Amino acid sequence: MNLHEYQAKALLRDYGLPIPKAGVAVTAEGARARAKDIGGGAWVVKAQVHAGRRGKAGGVRMVGSPEAAGEAAAAMLGTRIVTEQTGRDGLPIGKVYVEEAVQIEREFYAAVLVNRSRAAVSVIVSAAGGEDVEAALTRSDQLMEIELEASPDDGASAGFAAFLGLPEDTAAAVIDVLARTKKAFIDLDASLIELNPLALTARGDLALLDAKMVLDDNALPRHPELAELRDEEESHPHELEAGRFDLNYVRLDGDIGLLVTGAGLGLAVLDLIKQGEGEAANFMDVRPVASRDEVAEGVRLLLEDARVKVVLVVAMGGGILRCDTIAEGLAEAIRRTGSPLPVVYHAAGTGKEISEMTLRNQGFAVTLTDSIEEAAHEALRLAQTRGA
Ligand code: GDP
Ligand code: MN
C-alpha cells in the first residue's frame, strides 16, 4: 500500500526525522490558513498523489505569501496531475501539503528497502539526490550501502563522510536519520522508504523534503491504524472492485484485457505484448484458490472496460489450480454480459482439455491457442484489426 507524502511524514516525524513544519489542506482557503499557521516567509505547496516526479509536472510550487499559497492550491485542487509516473490519465489532486520552504544547500537520496538477494533490509544512500536521481541510481559508484548494525569504526564513518562530501558531524547526523528510518521501516512493516531529497539546508541542518513510503499489504492486519491510511479516492474503481474479489489488478494504458494465473506468468505475457508493440489495458492475476465466481467477476471487469478490444486469458494449471475453473468463470462472464468482444484463451497443465471443451461446446467466439506466444500474437492481431 502506497502512502501519501503527508502520511509518510506524519509517521516519520514520530521517529524523530527532521520534517519541516507543514499542514494539509483540501481548499484554497485552508492552504492559506496553513501557511499563516506555519509562519515564515516562503512555503512549498505540494500535490498529494501516489506518484513522484511531481516537481517537473507543476505539482510542487514555491510561494512567497499565504495568499499565493492559496492560489497555488486553487490551481491544483480538483485537477488531475500527469507525471512520468502516473500514466496518461494522471491522478486527481484532492489534497495539498503546505510546508515551510527551506533553503537547500545539497540534496541527498536515501532508501531503506528489502534486499532480496541478501535476504536483508538494506540502507542505501547517494549524494546525487533530488529530481534527477534516477540516472545516478543506475550507477553503482554513485550508491553506497550502509551497515547500521555494526557500530561504525572511525574508518567507516570517515569513508561515509567522504563519499557524501560532508564534514564528519553532518555525516553522523545523516547516519542518525538513516538509523531512525530503518527503525520505522521495521516497526511499521514497510517494504520501501525513500527519502528524496534529504536536504542539507543553508543553515547546516538536515531537512527531509520528500518521502515515499510503501507498506507491506500482507502485514497490514498487524497495523489496523495504518490500514486506515489507504486512499480509495485515488484508486480506479476497477482496482477497488478487483480487490473485493481477491484479484490483483493494476490498470495500464492499453487495449488488451489480460487475466492470468500467476504474477510471473503475467509479466511474461506483458513482455510478449510489448514485444509485439501492443499495450495491455491491465494486469490481472488470480490466486490459485480463486473460485469460478471470482474469475467470472475478473473477466467481467475486462469485458466492461470500454478501452478493451480483446480479452486474453492464460491459464497454467497445477497444484490446486485447475484450468477448468478458469474456463468456467470465463464462460460465465461472457454469458452474463453478452459481450461480443473476441476472447483468446491459452491453457496448459491440470484441466487443460476439459477447460477447452467447456469453451468450445458453448458456442463462444473464443480462440484457443497452442502456445503463449501464439495467444499473445492472436490478441495483438485482434486488437489491431479492431483498432481502426
Ligand atoms: P517529487 O518531484 O514528486 O519528487 O517532489 P519533491 O517533494 O521531491 O519536490 C521536487 C523538488 O522540489 C525537490 O527535489 C526539491 O529540489 C524541491 N523542493 C521541495 N521542497 C523544497 C523546499 O522547501 N525548498 C526548496 N528550495 N526546494 C524544495
Ligand atoms: Mn522527491
Side-chain angles (χ1 to χ4, degrees):
M1 177 175 105
N2 285 315
L3 296 183
H4 285 297
E5 174 188 11
Y6 77 90
Q7 296 169 325
K9 283 180 168 173
L11 291 170
L12 294 173
R13 193 190 294 279
D14 289 344
Y15 285 85
L17 266 74
I19 314 275
K21 275 192 265 172
V24 175
V26 295
T27 61
E29 182 47 42
R32 202 171 71 91
R34 292 297 90 71
K36 271 205 172 131
D37 297 343
I38 293 163
W43 299 265
V44 187
V45 180
K46 310 178 76 176
Q48 296 301 289
V49 291
H50 290 147
R53 313 292 277 171
R54 294 164 301 168
K56 302 225 150 142
V60 176
R61 304 192 192 196
M62 295 276 281
V63 296
S65 69
E67 286 64 38
E71 284 158 23
M76 289 188 216
L77 289 165
T79 68
R80 297 182 80 88
I81 182 169
V82 179
T83 83
E84 287 165 34
Q85 298 178 0
T86 58
R88 74 167 107 81
D89 290 345
L91 289 171
I93 305 177
K95 290 192 176 79
V96 293
Y97 190 65
V98 182
E99 184 172 68
E100 71 176 329
V102 304
Q103 225 182 310
I104 300 176
E105 190 76 29
R106 304 243 342 247
E107 294 182 300
F108 303 100
Y109 170 92
V112 181
L113 44 85
V114 177
N115 183 328
R116 286 168 209 276
S117 52
R118 284 211 296 115
V121 171
S122 278
V123 180
I124 56 172
V125 63
S126 171
E131 293 192 290
D132 298 312
V133 72
E134 265 91 359
L137 294 186
T138 61
R139 297 188 38 189
S140 57
D141 60 328
Q142 304 241 355
L143 278 178
M144 183 171 193
E145 180 163 352
I146 297 151
E147 197 59 65
L148 291 170
E149 281 71 24
S151 60
D153 57 58
D154 286 351
S157 63
F160 177 68
F163 176 75
L164 290 183
L166 288 173
E168 277 197 51
D169 55 340
T170 315
V174 172
I175 296 261
D176 179 59
V177 162
L178 297 177
R180 289 168 186 275
T181 308
K182 183 172 179 188
K183 175 155 178 31
F185 180 98
I186 289 172
D187 286 358
L188 304 176
D189 285 312
S191 54
L192 174 70
I193 302 181
E194 263 186 327
L195 314 179
N196 185 40
L198 172 65
L200 175 64
T201 72
R203 288 220 207 97
D205 311 322
L206 293 175
L208 175 56
L209 298 189
D210 188 19
K212 174 185 166 104
M213 190 160 170
V214 183
L215 300 178
D216 181 350
D217 283 321
N218 297 311
L220 284 177
R222 293 210 288 224
H223 308 279
E225 70 295 351
L226 297 179
E228 282 169 21
L229 298 177
R230 189 182 295 279
D231 180 356
E232 299 213 328
E233 299 231 325
E234 204 178 273
S235 307
H236 189 277
H238 281 170
E239 294 184 352
L240 297 177
E241 210 173 336
R244 278 199 283 282
F245 300 108
D246 282 320
L247 303 161
N248 297 314
Y249 177 101
V250 180
R251 194 177 158 86
L252 302 170
D253 279 338
D255 55 12
I256 299 176
L258 184 64
L259 183 143
V260 294
T261 58
L265 172 62
L267 294 177
V269 175
L270 284 181
D271 280 350
L272 289 170
I273 292 174
K274 275 271 183 206
Q275 278 165 22
E277 291 176 2
E279 293 283 346
N282 66 279
F283 176 89
M284 180 162 15
D285 162 35
V286 304
R287 297 172 307 152
V289 294
S291 68
R292 143 208 169 133
D293 288 345
E294 286 167 342
V295 174
E297 294 293 349
V299 176
R300 181 181 59 77
L301 286 176
L302 304 182
L303 295 173
E304 291 178 356
D305 185 335
R307 307 168 305 154
V308 168
K309 296 193 185 119
V310 51
V311 169
L312 171 58
V313 175
V314 181
M316 294 275 170
I320 51 172
L321 190 136
R322 301 188 54 94
C323 295
D324 42 317
T325 308
I326 305 294
E328 284 171 18
L330 173 57
E332 169 73 22
I334 300 174
R335 196 178 307 116
R336 255 200 283 149
T337 58
S339 165
L341 280 181
V343 175
V344 178
Y345 177 76
H346 177 69
T350 314
K352 167 185 160 74
E353 285 78 16
I354 186 168
S355 79
E356 292 178 343
M357 218 146 36
T358 299
L359 293 170
R360 257 200 215 101
N361 290 347
Q362 307 205 21
F364 300 127
V366 177
T367 308
L368 305 180
T369 62
D370 291 327
S371 70
I372 302 180
E373 288 84 354
E374 191 191 331
H377 288 151
E378 185 59 10
L380 284 158
R381 191 186 66 75
L382 287 164
Q384 261 154 28
T385 50
R386 295 172 63 92

